Amino acid sequence: MDYLAGLNPSQRSAVEQTEGPVMIVAGAGSGKTRVITYRVAHLIQKGVDPFNILVLTFTNKAAKEMRERIMKVVGQEAKNIWMGTFHSVFARILRVEAELIGYPKNFTIYDTDDTKSLIRAIIKEMNLDDKLYNANHVYGRISSAKNNLISPQEYNKNEAIMAEDISNGRGQLGQIYMTYAQRCYRAGAMDFDDLLFKTNVLLNKFPDVLHKYQHQFKYLMVDEYQDTNFSQYLIVKRLAAVNENICVVGDDAQSIYAFRGANIQNILNFQKDYPDVRVFKLEQNYRSTKMIVNAANSIIEKNQNQLEKNVFSENEDGEKIKVARAFSDNEEGKIVAEAISQEKALKGLQYKDFAILYRTNAQSRAMEEALRKLGVPYKLYGGTSFYQRKEIKDLIAYFRLTFNPNDEEALKRVINYPRRGIGDTTIEKIMVAADQQQYRLWDVVANAQMFLDGRSATAVGNFALMIQSFQAAAKTASAFDVAMHIAQHSGILKDLYEDKSVEGLSRYENIQELLNGIKEFSEREDLEEKGLDIFMQDIALLTNDDNDKDPNADTVSLMTIHSSKGLEFPAVFIVGLEENLFPSQLSLNSRSELEEERRLFYVAVTRAEKKLHLSYATSRYRWGTLNNCEPSRFLDELNPACLELDFHSKTAANMYTDGGFQSERVAWKQRETDTFSKPKPKMVKTTSILPKAHVPTQGFAPSDTSRLQVGMQVEHERFGFGKVVNLEGNKPDVKATIFFKELGQKQLLLKFAKLRIVE
């Protein structure tokens, strides 16, 4: 029981409460992973069979880390726990039960590229405008429907949904969804959302299957419960219905995935779902300094919809949070790059100790340019993962066809790669024949002589024979031997080897790396099943956090805040703290959207261990137009006693000499107090560091600005009263330069400005 000795009282109580419904509210940096792993280990130590424990995570990385920690306590028994991501665990169940819902056990899992490719093909076949019916939008609509358990049939019967589509000019969305579902079924394929959707169908339609898994999984644990969607919520609720030994772990303050369908109400309402729940709060932050924790608390306390907790730190007080203002995004990049170079030299840090976080991927450009100029090495997260590279997807498509010849996306991808004389016309004939005869594409390909003639029939017939030879090899050979056989006899290795360009060599090396990975997989001793089909399932279910990243590489990390969740760094730079960028302009329509943006800022701040830098620019290019920017409201919401203006570089110092920001600096300095005289200081209520928000005139309504003239007085909802000093440009892109009494001069695009002309 030594493993319990290292836990604080709250952690230990959560670990030892093994029976009944439990909710663990885990603040940032509070040792959540330790509690989950020790709780599972404690169950096994008490005699619970590992096969009866189900642990659901959101990344393979988290599951792997937890299993390794559990193994240190209980040994090899940890291998028998059902542990993994929602998608990987329920894909495993569907492999066993798929035939009940009409799917083969060896169904293909379509990734996002496969899904969008099929959607684009359907849009083209239906002769729809691919700009109006953008594949990304259609995919998002279908994904949202599935996550809310709305089938294609229900979608097309729902008057409200159809009315919304028609009003948006996309009245055919329901038909696209229906056709997409039919094509996936015909191809024996499920997309990521189907893995949850079909699991719900399975548990709903087959009570005996539900009964089987309810009694197998006597103990359920769900990590990051605040990120679950409706589909995940329902699966967990059904599986836990018999024993109710369910433990959910999460932090409502870190719920930032509403755009993916995550529903924060799942964690907020858990106590309503299970009235006898035991709630444990992990409130001690072991990651960050007191200064950073205090600042984070001052942010999140502004949210109304949250679970009450008091996060504190017993670490050192730490340095104040530095805030920098730049004239432009390029200047901001320069300030950040210089600060990293200086802190590395002065504080003895490594480049990998630094992270730059931003709201949108587009912001990385200015940061990358500045880092390159100073010779600072960096790693951009969110780029193309290894398994998304073309040559890798090509070879994997052959693997997929070998185990599921009905996989139409894989077939279309490689039927003429490498080139074998099967042109677009022949492929079109195959698709027409399949539609007319209600056959699968493979049925036509495997019987080419019946549907094609001449050289086309021969070429397609030879392709079918090749795939059939791969299928025969897969029945007896190891995963690596099958993969090597396919790579050689498909012609991919030869095609890439003959390309002597730098890019060609890189692609050839990537194929070698894939084969190396399969070799390692086939030699793993911890796996019972080591076939190539199992390897493909594993890589199909990789999450964004599982991409090939070398944790030991000495590089600065650049990523969006969403990508940073779950990570921590000694020094963090949060850039672009400007209104309409962070918080995003798209999130200002409701309190719930704004509160999610605030939670996103909270997540960003709590990534920092020792040092935190914030910055914003007063101007930034968007869509080729230079726009004036105002500081984010989130700067205003931070406890100013935690903040300090950053004079770390000559460039920065020069910027703070102008009169406007000088007054902000003085106001800041006047309000700085010693916040940490007590272990758990209360938040100091202070006045704004930025100009006071304007209260619009009662009945405020924007005027028709087509009659606006220089010299007119206007009112803006937030900027207040001002005078038009210049108008330039042609309709509809007329820009007005307005001098506001409180803020000074601003340039606004009239079609977005919402101005009231003061008569």
Side-chain angles (χ1 to χ4, degrees):
M1 300 292 283
D2 288 342
Y3 59 91
L4 295 177
L7 300 175
N8 68 36
S10 297
Q11 292 173 331
R12 181 163 184 154
S13 297
V15 167
E16 293 181 324
Q17 181 61 46
T18 57
E19 307 304 306
V22 171
M23 179 165 71
I24 301 172
V25 182
S30 62
K32 169 176 71 77
T33 303
R34 171 186 286 193
V35 170
I36 295 173
T37 53
Y38 284 2
R39 193 173 188 276
V40 175
H42 192 58
L43 282 168
I44 296 172
Q45 294 284 55
K46 285 180 62 178
V48 176
D49 189 333
F51 284 102
N52 294 143
I53 301 172
L54 172 62
V55 183
L56 297 169
T57 68
F58 274 83
T59 67
N60 293 306
K61 177 182 172 185
K64 182 173 181 288
E65 181 184 349
M66 288 179 194
R67 193 185 297 275
E68 288 172 352
R69 289 198 194 184
I70 296 168
M71 201 172 292
K72 290 178 181 177
V73 180
V74 303
Q76 297 301 308
E77 281 290 286
K79 292 180 180 178
N80 299 327
I81 304 163
W82 279 67
M83 177 182 285
T85 65
F86 277 87
H87 293 88
S88 65
V89 167
F90 297 119
R92 181 178 170 185
I93 289 175
L94 286 169
R95 292 283 179 208
V96 177
E97 315 289 353
E99 291 177 350
L100 290 173
I101 54 174
Y103 278 81
K105 290 181 183 292
N106 61 347
F107 62 85
T108 296
I109 300 173
Y110 277 176
D111 65 15
T112 305
D113 284 351
D114 297 319
T115 296
K116 290 180 182 177
S117 173
L118 177 54
I119 289 171
R120 278 190 287 268
I122 294 169
I123 290 168
K124 185 177 180 181
E125 290 169 18
M126 293 175 66
N127 294 316
L128 298 173
D129 182 348
D130 60 5
K131 291 185 176 60
L132 183 60
Y133 289 90
N134 176 275
N136 288 330
H137 176 83
V138 175
Y139 168 64
R141 190 74 167 163
I142 292 174
S143 176
S144 178
K146 288 183 180 179
N147 286 331
N148 286 287
L149 302 183
I150 300 171
S151 68
Q153 293 77 13
E154 291 167 332
Y155 189 102
N156 283 278
K157 289 178 183 176
N158 189 304
E159 293 181 3
I161 292 176
M162 297 305 292
E164 182 183 347
D165 287 347
I166 291 169
S167 69
N168 291 326
R170 300 187 181 96
Q172 295 299 308
L173 263 171
Q175 185 55 49
I176 296 173
Y177 183 15
M178 183 76 76
T179 305
Y180 172 76
Q182 291 168 348
R183 291 285 179 83
C184 287
Y185 183 77
R186 187 173 81 179
M190 296 188 198
D191 62 25
F192 287 152
D193 298 313
D194 280 327
L195 296 174
L196 303 178
F197 183 87
K198 301 296 183 186
T199 298
N200 270 295
V201 171
L202 184 71
L203 299 180
N204 189 43
K205 285 192 172 182
F206 299 92
D208 55 329
V209 174
L210 174 60
H211 180 272
K212 169 184 172 182
Y213 289 106
Q214 282 176 333
H215 287 80
Q216 176 170 344
F217 302 134
K218 295 178 181 177
Y219 293 86
L220 276 73
M221 289 193 69
V222 186
D223 188 20
E224 304 287 9
Y225 190 65
Q226 77 279 351
D227 293 335
T228 52
N229 59 32
F230 178 64
S231 183
Q232 291 162 329
Y233 163 81
L234 213 54
I235 292 171
V236 169
K237 197 164 181 2
R238 280 175 169 156
L239 290 177
V242 171
N243 297 296
E244 287 203 348
N245 291 325
I246 176 171
C247 173
V248 301
V249 187
D251 181 7
D252 59 297
Q254 297 185 67
S255 178
I256 59 173
Y257 293 118
F259 67 95
R260 291 184 191 167
N263 186 354
I264 192 174
Q265 296 304 319
N266 292 348
I267 193 167
L268 295 179
N269 293 334
F270 190 76
Q271 295 174 76
K272 293 180 181 177
D273 287 341
Y274 301 93
D276 57 339
V277 64
R278 293 288 303 275
V279 179
F280 300 92
K281 296 180 181 181
L282 309 184
E283 297 174 307
Q284 183 172 351
N285 181 306
Y286 292 93
R287 175 189 301 155
S288 307
T289 64
K290 290 179 181 177
M291 190 71 70
I292 291 169
V293 169
N294 190 29
N297 287 342
S298 70
I299 298 161
I300 206 63
E301 70 174 4
K302 307 300 189 298
N303 274 7
Q304 295 180 5
N305 201 15
Q306 61 176 306
L307 297 171
E308 184 181 345
K309 56 185 171 296
N310 178 32
V311 178
F312 67 96
S313 173
E314 293 184 355
N315 295 337
E316 61 184 347
D317 287 356
E319 299 179 25
K320 292 191 176 185
I321 297 166
K322 293 182 169 60
V323 183
R325 180 177 98 163
F327 286 136
S328 66
D329 47 355
N330 288 333
E331 193 78 55
E332 183 182 36
K334 186 176 180 182
I335 291 172
V336 170
E338 286 180 353
I340 290 174
S341 295
Q342 290 183 19
E343 289 199 5
K344 179 179 182 294
L346 296 173
K347 303 290 177 64
L349 297 173
Q350 295 179 282
Y351 284 123
K352 66 181 180 182
D353 294 330
F354 296 91
I356 302 174
L357 310 182
Y358 35 77
R359 181 64 181 82
T360 66
N361 277 307
Q363 291 170 256
S364 73
R365 179 201 58 78
M367 297 297 137
E368 289 186 75
E369 288 182 5
L371 293 171
R372 280 199 298 266
K373 285 178 181 176
L374 289 183
V376 175
Y378 65 88
K379 167 76 175 178
L380 187 67
Y381 284 54
T384 303
S385 83
F386 179 79
Y387 292 105
Q388 293 299 317
R389 292 166 182 161
K390 179 186 181 300
E391 62 276 10
I392 301 299
K393 288 181 72 72
D394 288 339
L395 183 51
I396 288 175
Y398 275 105
F399 296 166
R400 283 165 46 176
L401 267 186
T402 299
F403 291 96
N404 178 16
N406 294 326
D407 184 340
E408 296 185 358
E409 288 305 303
L411 190 150
K412 288 187 289 185
R413 185 178 187 98
V414 298
I415 192 170
N416 196 39
Y417 176 73
R419 293 186 180 279
R420 51 178 60 93
I422 304 175
D424 291 344
T425 303
T426 301
I427 295 172
E428 187 70 28
K429 287 179 180 177
I430 293 170
M431 294 175 69
V432 169
D435 284 340
Q436 289 177 344
Q437 302 295 326
Q438 291 297 295
Y439 288 166
R440 293 181 167 92
L441 293 188
W442 176 252
D443 296 331
V444 177
V445 169
N447 299 280
Q449 301 295 337
M450 293 174 55
F451 300 98
L452 303 169
D453 50 35
R455 285 184 297 179
S456 295
T458 302
V460 173
N462 288 339
F463 174 77
L465 287 172
M466 179 181 68
I467 298 299
Q468 288 164 346
S469 74
F470 296 164
Q471 292 171 334
K475 291 178 181 177
T476 57
S478 70
F480 175 73
D481 290 339
V482 175
M484 180 59 80
H485 177 81
I486 294 173
Q488 290 174 335
H489 291 83
S490 65
I492 284 184
L493 275 182
K494 181 174 182 291
D495 184 68
L496 294 178
Y497 181 76
E498 290 175 349
D499 183 352
K500 300 301 183 183
S501 67
V502 174
E503 293 81 6
L505 178 61
S506 175
R507 287 192 287 267
Y508 183 75
E509 289 173 346
N510 286 338
I511 292 292
Q512 285 186 318
E513 184 59 31
L514 174 63
L515 295 171
N516 291 341
I518 296 172
K519 180 70 171 176
E520 290 177 15
F521 173 84
S522 64
E523 294 175 351
R524 280 175 57 180
E525 295 181 359
D526 61 322
L527 297 176
E528 292 182 15
E529 295 183 273
K530 293 183 276 193
L532 186 58
D533 54 335
I534 304 300
F535 174 82
M536 287 193 299
Q537 175 175 305
D538 283 355
I539 62 173
L541 293 168
L542 287 176
T543 58
N544 290 337
D545 304 62
D546 306 313
N547 292 344
D548 52 322
K549 297 162 186 168
D550 179 4
N552 297 314
D554 191 22
T555 55
V556 175
S557 298
L558 274 68
M559 67 187 80
T560 64
I561 301 167
H562 282 101
S563 298
S564 75
K565 190 165 180 288
L567 303 178
E568 55 189 51
F569 302 89
V572 170
F573 291 78
I574 306 172
V575 300
L577 276 160
E578 299 139 34
E579 282 294 294
N580 299 323
L581 179 57
F582 194 20
S584 164
Q585 188 172 13
L586 301 175
S587 68
L588 302 179
N589 299 315
S590 67
R591 176 175 296 281
S592 63
E593 290 174 342
L594 179 60
E595 290 200 349
E596 172 135 341
E597 286 288 295
R598 191 176 285 116
R599 292 194 295 271
L600 190 60
F601 185 39
Y602 176 83
V603 166
V605 168
T606 54
R607 297 314 92 198
E609 298 172 357
K610 304 281 190 185
K611 298 177 71 65
L612 179 61
H613 300 252
L614 310 176
S615 61
Y616 67 96
T618 58
S619 64
R620 188 178 295 271
Y621 274 100
R622 292 183 190 170
W623 305 107
T625 302
L626 185 64
N627 290 282
N628 291 328
C629 308
E630 64 173 309
S632 168
R633 68 187 70 190
F634 294 154
L635 286 173
D636 238 358
E637 294 176 355
L638 283 161
N639 183 348
C642 300
L643 306 178
E644 172 184 303
L645 294 189
D646 188 359
F647 290 88
H648 70 268
S649 71
K650 183 178 178 182
T651 308
N654 289 341
M655 286 193 293
Y656 300 129
T657 58
D658 68 285
F661 200 61
Q662 181 77 7
S663 60
E664 290 181 9
R665 182 176 65 79
V666 170
W668 258 329
K669 290 295 183 184
Q670 286 176 342
R671 283 188 296 272
E672 287 176 355
T673 57
D674 182 5
T675 316
F676 304 111
S677 56
K678 297 180 181 179
K680 297 181 188 178
K682 293 183 178 180
M683 294 300 105
V684 181
K685 299 297 181 183
T686 59
T687 55
S688 172
I689 62 172
L690 302 171
K692 291 183 179 179
H694 171 67
V695 179
T697 302
Q698 189 172 4
F700 178 93
S703 303
D704 174 11
T705 53
S706 62
R707 60 188 181 90
L708 195 67
Q709 296 179 14
V710 173
M712 282 186 169
Q713 298 288 330
V714 294
E715 181 186 11
H716 186 277
E717 268 189 300
R718 290 178 54 217
F719 302 155
F721 292 97
K723 181 178 181 180
V724 180
V725 295
N726 189 39
L727 293 169
E728 59 181 283
N730 300 315
K731 293 181 180 179
D733 297 318
V734 177
K735 284 183 280 192
T737 303
I738 302 171
F739 184 83
F740 291 99
K741 295 177 182 178
E742 296 293 332
L743 295 169
Q745 195 162 289
K746 281 188 171 291
Q747 194 175 64
L748 303 174
L749 204 57
L750 285 185
K751 61 184 178 183
F752 298 129
K754 294 184 180 178
L755 297 170
R756 181 180 76 86
I757 298 174
V758 181
E759 303 292 354

